[in-house]
Amino acid sequence: MVLELHAPVTTTGGRGVVAMVLLEKRIPFELVPIEWDTLNSKEHLAKQPFGQVPFIDDDGFILYESRAIARYLEEKYPQQGTKLIPTELKAKALFEQAASVEFADYEPYARAVYMAGKAKRFRGLPDDHVAFDEAVADLSRAIDVYEVILGKQKYLAGDELTLVDLFHIGFGATFEFLGCDLLVKGPNVSRWWKDIISRPSWISLSDGIKSTYTYE
Ligand SMILES: N[C@@H](CCC(=O)N[C@@H](CS)C(=O)NCC(=O)O)C(=O)O
C-alpha cells in the first residue's frame, strides 16, 4: 500500500514539512485530503488524538507529529533521496542541538507570529498589532542568533542540509504574507532561507499538495 499523508491540500504547517520530506526522500505517497472542520470528529481523533494534522498511514502504521514523521521517514529510507540526518556521532549531536533549538527557541514564537498574523489577515478579526509586534520581537531573538550561526556555516546543523532546516518551512513560508520580514532581513538568514524555499521539493508544493506522487 502506498504511504498516505492525511492532511489538508494547502502546504503550510506540519503538513508542508512532511510533504517536503517525502519529496526529498523520493517516497511515493498519496494525499488523503482532510477538511478542517473534521479535526474533532471521532474518526480523526482516533488517528490524531490532539485533533491536529498531519498524520501518516504507512501500511496501517499510524504516526502523527510532523517532526516524528520526518525522522521516521529518514530512518526508514536512509539510502534514498536526500540524506537528512547525519550519522557520524558529533555531526548527529550538532543536529540534535539544532533540532532542540528549533523546537524550544523558534517554534513557539513562530507559532505566535502565525497565530497573531493569521487572526489579522484571514479571520477578519480586528488587527491586533500589539500581539503581532510582540510575537515578532520574541521571534527575532532566535533569528538574531541564527544570523550569527549562519555566518559560520551553511545550514543550522552544519554545512549539510538536515531535517532541522526543513522544520522551518511551515510557519516560515507564511511570514512574508503576514508582514513579518525576519527571514529575509539579515544577509546570512536570508541566504539560508532562499536556499530552502528554492529547493525543487518546495517549489513543486507551492500550489498545494497534489493527490499522488510517484517518481521515475
Ligand atoms: N506539533 C504538531 C503541530 C501540527 C499543527 O500545528 N497543525 C495545525 C495545522 S498546521 C493544526 O492541526 N491546527 C488545528 C488545530 O490545532 O486545531 C505537528 O508538528 O504535527
Side-chain angles (χ1 to χ4, degrees), residues 10-192:
T10 48
T11 55
T12 57
R15 60 203 184 273
V17 70
V18 172
M20 197 174 175
V21 170
L22 285 162
L23 293 179
E24 290 284 346
K25 300 299 294 174
R26 301 184 68 74
I27 301 167
F29 72 98
E30 190 179 318
L31 176 76
V32 181
I34 289 189
E35 298 299 330
W36 289 107
D37 60 3
T38 63
L39 296 190
N40 286 315
S41 67
K42 213 170 136 202
E43 292 73 26
H44 183 76
L45 292 174
K47 305 283 174 55
Q48 213 299 5
F50 292 91
Q52 296 180 332
V53 282
F55 70 86
I56 59 166
D57 181 340
D58 186 14
D59 206 12
F61 176 61
I62 306 295
L63 190 65
Y64 58 86
E65 275 300 316
S66 57
R67 290 165 187 78
I69 297 169
R71 284 167 178 267
Y72 166 76
L73 296 173
E74 173 62 24
E75 287 181 29
K76 182 167 177 185
Y77 300 97
Q79 309 299 345
Q80 191 174 309
T82 314
K83 185 175 167 65
L84 291 167
I85 302 180
T87 39
E88 190 276 323
L89 178 68
K90 288 182 181 163
K92 189 161 185 203
L94 292 173
F95 162 78
E96 293 297 351
Q97 173 180 270
S100 290
V101 166
E102 186 274 334
F103 200 57
D105 298 306
Y106 171 88
E107 199 273 354
Y109 307 111
R111 182 175 290 271
V113 168
Y114 176 72
M115 295 311 285
K118 186 172 87 159
K120 216 166 59 159
R121 301 282 160 143
F122 300 134
R123 292 195 177 156
L125 299 176
D127 280 7
D128 188 348
H129 292 293
V130 176
F132 185 73
D133 292 348
E134 275 176 11
V136 171
D138 285 342
L139 181 63
S140 73
R141 282 198 285 277
I143 302 297
D144 287 349
V145 181
Y146 279 8
E147 182 62 27
V148 176
I149 292 171
L150 292 166
K152 299 180 200 152
Q153 59 197 43
K154 207 166 163 210
Y155 296 103
L156 288 171
D159 281 322
E160 304 293 332
L161 177 87
T162 67
L163 284 180
V164 171
D165 303 293
L166 305 188
F167 289 164
H168 292 75
I169 199 71
F171 292 126
T174 68
F175 285 169
E176 226 174 330
F177 177 69
L178 298 177
C180 167
D181 65 356
L182 287 180
L183 296 179
V184 291
K185 225 162 68 176
N188 300 317
V189 168
S190 53
R191 186 260 311 144
W192 163 79

